[in-house]
Amino acid sequence: MNETLYRVSANPHVRDKSSTQSIMLDVILALLPATVFGIYIFGASAAVTIAVSIVTCVAAEYIYQKLMKQKVSVSDLSAAVTGLLLALNLPAGVPFWMPVLGGLFAIIVVKQVFGGLGQNFMNPALGARCFLMISFAARMTTFTYDGVTTATPLALLKAGKSVDLGNVFTGFIPGTIGETSAVLLLLGGAYLVLKKVISPLIPCIYVATVAVFVLLFGGHGFDLTYMASEIFSGGLMLGAIFMATDYVTSPITSRGKIIFGVLCGLLTGIFRLFGPMAEGVSYSIIIANLVVPLIEKITVPTPFGIVKAKGGKDNE
């Protein structure tokens, strides 16, 4: 009689032969076009920020796991992906201690303290970005393009000004290192969908919800140019494709993904149009991350053989 041994482990649970390492490698490859473009338009400082962030995250995970006598898992590339995503969410000219501080916060506070990969309740890179935004708001909202400190397209839109949609879509605009080129982020997202690393549900529902919200409450009527400028500006593409789809902090069912995407979109629309700041993607995704357990509770089907009692408690 043949016996098959099954290993029970913490989520994320991937229902195919892909390993965490192969999935993370696909994410890195998908981010590569936007990363290279960010270095091209922002220069050497962007490359150094990316390198410092990745090295910090990998080193922090290695040292923490060694000190805690845990199995070292840096080879799964999850720490490298966190470092890359954090760097892509930073302005190119930030002092180099900021990606170091952000990387330490992402890996130790958000990820490892809660048990490591599969146990964190929010996306580590976004958690670190929000931590840096709260702590160093002025530095995190200062953007330089072509050697000149200037406003981002989102800031211009919030001030009632127009932007060049072509530049916004291609990426020749001020912003964080990895958020500027919507077309390259979409290209990376298409790669992940084709490789079946992510489902298109969350990104599509998220962006569509923001688009509808902007048309309804943006004050510009049915202005498709304004709507397109909003969805292609800022961190919406980077957040919707690469961070809202995080296996650990997003729902597992299709219904759950739809609810999650709508919630992210509504929050982003509210923050952008009615909040004091022009951007709101990071806070929106983190708040939605916190609601995921509730979304899972109402969308995950009851296992076969389990009868739900009137009081809500499951009985066998």
Side-chain angles (χ1 to χ4, degrees):
M1 181 177 179
N2 294 327
E3 292 185 359
T4 302
L5 298 178
Y6 295 93
R7 185 178 66 179
V8 179
S9 61
N11 61 319
H13 301 295
V14 183
R15 295 179 178 87
D16 62 21
K17 296 180 180 179
S18 301
S19 65
T20 299
Q21 184 186 65
S22 68
I23 291 169
M24 295 301 167
L25 181 58
D26 278 332
V27 173
I28 292 172
L29 291 174
L31 284 168
L32 202 55
T35 302
V36 172
F37 184 79
I39 294 171
Y40 170 72
I41 63 171
F42 295 120
S45 62
V48 175
T49 298
I50 292 168
V52 169
S53 183
I54 293 173
V55 169
T56 298
C57 287
V58 172
E61 182 152 296
Y62 178 86
I63 293 170
Y64 182 91
Q65 290 177 329
K66 277 289 188 181
L67 291 175
M68 295 296 107
K69 302 188 185 310
Q70 299 173 356
K71 179 183 177 182
V72 175
S73 60
V74 293
S75 62
D76 67 12
L77 300 179
S78 62
V81 168
T82 295
L84 178 57
L85 282 172
L86 172 60
L88 297 183
N89 276 279
L90 298 177
V94 296
F96 298 135
W97 57 263
M98 287 185 71
V100 171
L101 183 60
L104 292 173
F105 186 87
I107 295 298
I108 297 176
V109 177
V110 181
K111 184 178 178 182
Q112 292 299 333
V113 167
F114 289 93
L117 182 66
Q119 304 297 324
N120 47 288
F121 66 94
M122 69 173 70
N123 184 286
L126 279 183
R129 171 180 160 80
C130 290
F131 165 70
L132 293 174
M133 278 286 294
I134 293 170
S135 304
F136 313 103
R139 196 64 200 81
M140 287 287 289
T141 54
T142 300
F143 301 97
T144 303
Y145 181 68
D146 275 345
V148 179
T149 300
T150 184
T152 63
L154 274 183
L156 293 174
L157 289 170
K158 196 169 184 68
K161 300 177 181 178
S162 61
V163 298
D164 186 319
L165 183 57
N167 287 340
V168 166
F169 188 65
T170 54
F172 293 95
I173 54 173
T176 67
I177 295 171
E179 75 178 15
T180 59
S181 181
V183 63
L184 293 180
L185 292 169
L186 287 168
L187 180 65
Y191 171 79
L192 292 180
V193 171
L194 289 174
K195 292 281 287 185
K196 297 183 179 180
V197 173
I198 65 171
S199 162
L201 262 181
I202 290 176
C204 290
I205 296 296
Y206 187 171
V207 174
T209 302
V210 174
V212 172
F213 193 95
V214 166
L215 289 176
L216 292 176
F217 304 106
H220 291 259
F222 199 74
D223 187 339
L224 295 181
T225 301
Y226 173 75
M227 181 268 289
S229 299
E230 278 282 352
I231 65 173
F232 292 133
S233 297
L236 180 57
M237 290 298 155
L238 181 61
I241 296 169
F242 293 96
M243 289 177 283
T245 54
D246 178 25
Y247 287 174
V248 181
T249 56
S250 62
I252 60 174
T253 66
S254 295
R255 278 203 308 150
K257 292 178 191 296
I258 293 171
I259 295 171
F260 182 80
V262 170
L263 178 60
C264 287
L266 290 175
L267 289 171
T268 298
I270 291 169
F271 286 140
R272 281 188 173 188
L273 298 183
F274 303 114
M277 300 181 67
E279 184 58 281
V281 169
S282 298
Y283 294 114
S284 300
I285 296 175
I286 282 185
I287 292 172
N289 287 161
L290 299 178
V291 183
V292 165
L294 177 60
I295 296 175
E296 299 280 60
K297 187 175 181 180
I298 63 177
T299 59
V300 173
T302 304
F304 181 76
I306 302 296
V307 179
K308 216 174 234 328
K310 290 183 179 179
K313 187 177 180 180
D314 295 335
N315 298 312
E316 293 184 4

